[in-house]
Amino acid sequence: MFEANDVTKVYPGGRGIQGLNLAVSSGEVVALLGPNGAGKTTALQAMAGFVRADRGEVRWNGASVTERPELTKPHIGLMIGEPAPYPYLTGYEYLRLYHKLYPGVDEARIRETLERVGMAKHQHAKIKQYSTGMKQRIELASALLHAPKLLLLDEPFSGLDIEARRETAAMLRALAAETGMGMIVSSHLVHDIEDLLAYACIVYEGRWVETASLQRIRQSFATVEDYYLHCIAKARGGAS
């Protein structure tokens, strides 16, 4: 179980995230939904332990992500920010850099991961020749290399065309179903993640609005997108 309770990180000028609450269990996908600039990346950075929260706590199986990183970080895979792999390396060479960071990751695991993300046939091409979607995939492969139990993904659909977004959604769905991996996936493209999620966590203008299960959402709304728009309107002080 991964839990974020009242997580708050505010930068000078007011940007950041306040009061974030969510939890992820094995095989669950939690969507962190909000407009651009809502605080999603800061929230993921705080949950990953990249930055220390001003308030609140983040725990993996009871251990603090910031206080006990040796117990938590080996189980977490990260893809935060724009994918920026080294352009003059091949995809294979890029993963070889990462494999040195993780004990037990061998050539077989690199090949398996490349196959998993659909990049095996492109592994010897230079990253500078990759499309945006291919760069996203090779970055995802680096996050998966050590077989984490939880993935934190920041806008994995950003910059992708319709076909690539559908392929990415299908890949994430298969990962959760086949490996039992939990995921927190941030996005402002609600429809791309609607068929993936078990819970939706809504943030707006640097503040947590609410978190609801898919089951509860569908009791009152036709789609997750309708629920999202309802939450944003409520956060703006509009109609409920």
Side-chain angles (χ1 to χ4, degrees):
M1 171 72 78
F2 180 86
E3 297 176 283
N5 297 307
D6 193 30
V7 171
T8 296
K9 175 64 181 179
V10 181
Y11 294 102
R15 294 183 65 85
I17 188 68
Q18 297 185 51
L20 180 72
N21 292 282
L22 60 79
V24 190
S25 296
S26 176
E28 288 183 344
V29 178
V30 174
L32 184 61
L33 302 175
N36 288 329
K40 300 187 298 295
T41 298
T42 300
L44 288 171
Q45 289 173 335
M47 287 188 283
F50 280 4
V51 297
R52 182 177 288 273
D54 301 329
R55 186 178 74 239
E57 60 180 8
V58 182
R59 295 185 175 274
W60 166 260
N61 285 345
S64 168
V65 168
T66 53
E67 302 300 330
R68 300 299 305 273
E70 75 281 5
L71 298 179
T72 59
K73 290 189 176 181
H75 303 294
I76 300 173
L78 309 172
M79 195 173 85
I80 298 178
E82 291 293 321
Y86 299 98
Y88 293 99
L89 295 180
T90 66
Y92 170 80
E93 290 167 343
Y94 185 55
L95 294 193
R96 284 281 298 173
L97 282 180
Y98 271 85
H99 102 284
K100 297 176 183 179
L101 301 175
Y102 304 119
V105 174
D106 55 15
E107 288 292 321
R109 177 61 186 171
I110 293 175
R111 290 194 298 272
E112 177 188 343
T113 306
L114 285 163
E115 288 284 353
R116 165 66 76 174
V117 302
M119 288 296 291
K121 64 182 178 181
H122 304 294
Q123 63 179 296
H124 297 304
K126 298 286 188 183
I127 290 172
K128 65 180 181 179
Q129 299 170 338
Y130 285 0
S131 66
T132 300
M134 292 164 69
K135 288 177 182 177
Q136 291 275 34
R137 284 172 181 259
I138 206 67
E139 196 75 12
L140 177 59
S142 71
L144 292 172
L145 202 56
H146 59 300
K149 295 181 174 65
L150 176 74
L151 271 182
L152 304 181
L153 303 178
D154 189 17
E155 297 281 3
F157 304 103
S158 180
L160 304 185
D161 59 29
I162 292 173
E163 183 179 9
R165 292 203 304 267
R166 287 181 177 176
E167 289 174 352
T168 299
M171 186 191 314
L172 296 180
R173 188 181 301 109
L175 273 169
E178 295 169 13
T179 69
M181 192 180 297
M183 299 182 196
I184 301 173
V185 183
S186 81
S187 184
H188 64 281
L189 302 169
V190 183
H191 53 277
D192 287 323
I193 202 168
E194 181 145 352
D195 292 336
L196 287 173
L197 59 87
Y199 291 85
C201 176
I202 312 299
V203 294
Y204 180 71
E205 291 191 345
R207 294 181 181 274
W208 174 72
V209 178
E210 65 179 59
T211 300
S213 69
L214 182 60
Q215 181 180 12
R216 184 166 79 83
I217 291 169
R218 287 184 169 165
Q219 288 173 353
S220 302
F221 298 91
T223 67
V224 175
E225 188 164 317
D226 289 341
Y227 166 73
Y228 167 80
L229 293 172
H230 162 81
C231 289
I232 297 302
K234 184 169 66 173
R236 288 173 175 160
S240 61

